[in-house]
Amino acid sequence: MEFLKTWQSKFRTCTEIWEECNTKAKEKKLTSDQEAQMDILFKKHQSITKELKILEERAETSSVASDLFHNQLLPLLQEIKLFWLKNGYSNMLLEENGRVGLKSLNGGIALPAIYEEVSLTYDDYEFFHQWLFVVKQNGKWGLVDKSLNVQIPFEYDKIFRKPGAPNHYILIKDGKQGVASIDFPGEKVDIMVPVEMDAIYHVPGWDLTLFTKDEKWGWWFPDNTAYYKNYCYPECDEIFVQPIEEVWKMEDDQDEIFIVRKGKRYYDIVYFTSK
């Protein structure tokens, strides 16, 4: 088992990563010059979207609309996204009468100021495509969509989006943690990892969730491409994961594996994907 020395067996918890990102994000505030710059970007966005709406009503100008969308709107959206990510998350918060909501990235309102708190997310995809929001109401956290429909009920002590996973959420209640999955608003929310774990861990680059309970390790794959069972209750003493950088060096027909230890015995867990 000499090669295991180069594999990963120590991981950061999702809670630790989120708290670190949240602390850094709250330190970011737009200066007056940056706010003026953002106003200019907002006005450009509003002008282009207004023109696109007019063109959309004229079916015969579809090629013009397509050109406007791809050559002007998409580059502008990227510019706006990078601006927010670089300069300030906290300025996204909308505060009114002691309540909090969220501004949209193009200058509008993504979420009205009716909640006690809003949990920001720091992955650029999920941060930019705002359709699910973690919010606090009556002292508890839940998840709502942009129409304010409740997707995860307000019964948790904390909820935050799992790092690097757009549709997966860490649920914390009474000191225990689990993972919820939702693909689209209105669809059933699945509790993929029951809220009874001591900690949920982030595995960089892998579509894999590790967790511990009573000092034992388990895992969950969020898809059906695993040869082995997708969910394993915590029963392992240690889990070794091949660094993702090494995985991407493999040929398409090679198996990617991680290894678990139970006592003195080691077991290969095969995970196949097409790269």
Side-chain angles (χ1 to χ4, degrees):
M1 309 303 292
E2 181 71 20
F3 72 96
L4 285 181
K5 292 182 179 180
T6 63
W7 286 34
Q8 298 168 285
S9 62
K10 305 297 181 183
F11 307 92
R12 297 181 69 194
T13 67
C14 292
T15 300
E16 179 185 7
I17 294 172
W18 184 87
E19 289 178 345
E20 180 181 287
C21 291
N22 190 53
T23 299
K24 291 181 179 179
K26 287 184 175 179
E27 296 173 352
K28 291 184 177 182
K29 294 286 186 180
L30 296 185
T31 65
S32 56
D33 287 343
Q34 288 170 340
E35 288 180 346
Q37 182 181 350
M38 181 51 70
D39 285 339
I40 293 174
L41 294 174
F42 283 162
K43 289 177 181 177
K44 285 183 180 179
H45 183 278
Q46 292 163 4
S47 176
I48 293 174
T49 52
K50 182 179 179 180
E51 187 174 353
L52 278 172
K53 187 175 181 179
I54 294 173
L55 291 173
E56 188 178 349
E57 296 171 354
R58 306 172 185 169
E60 72 277 5
T61 60
S62 59
S63 61
V64 178
S66 177
D67 182 71
L68 183 62
F69 177 82
H70 288 94
N71 296 329
Q72 293 192 45
L73 183 60
L74 288 184
L76 177 62
L77 289 174
Q78 179 69 8
E79 184 178 359
I80 292 174
K81 179 179 72 172
L82 293 176
F83 183 94
W84 277 115
L85 294 175
K86 177 182 178 181
N87 296 311
Y89 288 96
S90 295
N91 290 77
M92 290 293 296
L93 294 176
L94 179 66
E95 301 181 53
E96 295 178 1
N97 302 318
R99 293 284 170 166
V100 181
L102 201 63
K103 300 174 185 176
S104 69
L105 297 178
N106 58 16
I109 296 177
L111 193 68
I114 59 175
Y115 297 101
E116 295 170 8
E117 290 184 57
V118 174
S119 176
L120 295 177
T121 182
Y122 312 106
D123 175 274
D124 61 356
Y125 175 87
E126 187 68 9
F127 181 70
F128 194 55
H129 296 81
Q130 301 171 7
W131 55 280
L132 290 172
F133 307 93
V134 177
V135 293
K136 188 177 184 180
Q137 182 172 274
N138 297 324
K140 294 294 184 179
W141 290 88
L143 188 76
V144 300
D145 62 26
K146 61 183 179 181
S147 298
L148 307 187
N149 300 309
V150 176
Q151 302 292 332
I152 294 178
F154 290 90
E155 59 182 50
Y156 294 95
D157 301 321
K158 187 64 183 175
I159 298 176
F160 59 90
R161 192 180 57 75
K162 185 176 180 291
N167 302 326
H168 303 148
Y169 293 84
I170 305 297
L171 309 177
I172 303 177
K173 186 175 183 179
D174 299 329
K176 297 299 182 179
Q177 301 184 19
V179 181
S181 175
I182 178 172
D183 291 328
F184 297 99
E187 291 194 354
K188 180 178 180 291
V189 176
D190 294 312
I191 305 297
M192 308 307 297
V193 178
V195 187
E196 58 184 51
M197 305 304 165
D198 297 325
I200 310 293
Y201 293 85
H202 175 61
V203 184
W206 278 80
D207 206 7
L208 167 69
T209 297
L210 301 182
F211 39 84
T212 53
K213 181 179 181 180
D214 299 330
E215 299 184 353
K216 295 290 187 178
W217 288 81
W219 71 82
W220 166 60
F221 285 121
D223 54 47
N224 294 313
T225 60
Y227 281 22
Y228 204 79
K229 56 186 178 181
N230 282 22
Y231 176 84
C232 180
Y233 190 82
E235 58 184 22
C236 307
D237 295 306
E238 195 170 9
I239 294 181
F240 300 86
V241 180
Q242 188 167 211
I244 196 64
E245 296 81 8
E246 296 301 316
V247 171
W248 288 114
K249 295 177 183 178
M250 301 169 99
E251 299 295 332
D252 284 351
D253 59 352
Q254 287 183 290
D255 292 334
E256 298 130 16
I257 61 175
F258 65 96
I259 291 175
V260 303
R261 177 176 66 83
K262 294 181 180 180
K264 295 182 179 180
R265 300 192 66 179
Y266 292 81
Y267 302 86
D268 289 349
I269 310 300
V270 180
Y271 181 69
F272 175 82
T273 62
S274 179
K275 295 182 285 295

